[in-house]
Amino acid sequence: MPPASSTATSCDETALLRAMAAIAPNGVRIGCRPIREGDEAHLLPGEARSIRARQPAMRRASGAARWIAHGLLADMGISDFAILRAPSGAPVWPEGMTGSLAHDDEMAVAAVAPLSSIGSLGIDVEPAQPLPDDILALVATPADRAEAADRHLAGRILFSAKEAVYKAVFQLDRQVLSYEDITVDLGAGRATTRTGRAANLAYCVAPRVVVLAFVDEGAD
């Protein structure tokens, strides 16, 4: 049974999967799953060894996210691939593939795509709740544009967008970026970084905030 504190349900999963499918670009496969008790058992042996976190909640979330990704990869003919955690913290994908994992306290998500379709992927999931003011002050910059989003969730979407962009861009440049290094325009569906990278953005807000960031195939 799921933890008593969890409010994520199969209805949430179905609704979120539909919302994510509606925003996913061509070539990108996506999935989601409520985090359940025992999900750490979905970690393959190599994955379990590569994840240093010993907290049960973190290992459960990692197991749930990788379980989704294993299924997505299997649908593309890649079975039993161990998605190791690199020393940087980023997941290591099969040759010729890009992908991203994310989770909040209750829901895990994953996205994968062949490099022939997408140059790099990043995903983030957050509860559909306003972002606390103290965190928003750390995330937002004067150059960000979030007017196009729901005003109650604009901060949360902005935060999630920067997390997703970081994941997508790190796969290409291996450079650590802070929030002020990423500029987001939610209306245009674009983000840029101080390193000169540009990423496309797509997001949904119900039943959770999910942002996909993707760099076009072959982009410099």
Side-chain angles (χ1 to χ4, degrees):
M1 294 179 63
S5 61
S6 175
T7 59
T9 66
S10 58
C11 292
D12 293 332
E13 181 179 3
T14 300
L16 183 59
L17 186 60
R18 288 174 179 168
M20 291 167 62
I23 66 170
N26 290 337
V28 176
R29 294 173 181 256
I30 51 86
C32 60
R33 170 188 173 86
I35 300 168
R36 300 179 174 95
E37 193 75 32
D39 273 349
E40 62 273 18
H42 294 302
L43 293 170
L44 298 178
E47 295 170 342
R49 289 191 296 270
S50 73
I51 297 171
R52 296 178 181 177
R54 291 291 174 260
Q55 300 93 328
M58 291 298 296
R59 297 187 75 80
R60 276 196 298 270
S62 294
R66 280 169 169 78
W67 185 88
I68 301 164
H70 293 158
L72 297 174
L73 291 172
D75 288 344
M76 303 176 75
I78 303 172
S79 299
D80 300 320
F81 181 86
I83 306 168
L84 305 182
R85 187 181 191 273
S88 65
V92 180
W93 298 97
E95 185 176 356
M97 299 293 296
T98 181
S100 188
L101 310 173
H103 63 84
D104 59 19
D105 289 341
E106 298 178 346
M107 187 72 73
V109 298
V112 301
L115 289 174
S116 57
S117 298
I118 297 289
S120 186
L121 267 179
I123 194 170
D124 190 64
V125 60
E126 295 285 330
Q129 301 170 0
L131 191 70
D133 289 342
D134 58 337
I135 300 179
L136 181 60
L138 297 174
V139 172
T141 72
D144 292 321
R145 294 289 177 266
E147 297 87 356
D150 179 295
R151 65 186 182 88
H152 297 292
L153 295 178
R156 183 73 67 171
I157 300 167
L158 181 65
F159 172 82
S160 191
K162 293 197 177 189
E163 292 285 327
V165 170
Y166 177 85
K167 293 177 183 179
V169 171
F170 185 82
Q171 293 184 49
L172 300 172
D173 298 334
R174 302 295 172 181
Q175 292 192 36
V176 176
L177 300 175
S178 57
Y179 292 121
E180 61 265 28
D181 295 325
I182 301 170
T183 300
V184 168
D185 185 334
L186 293 179
R190 296 279 285 176
T192 56
T193 73
R194 66 167 174 80
T195 57
R197 287 285 179 185
N200 299 299
L201 299 172
Y203 67 89
C204 58
V205 298
R208 269 173 159 73
V209 171
V210 172
V211 180
L212 277 171
F214 49 99
V215 178
D216 292 334
E217 184 273 329
D220 290 331

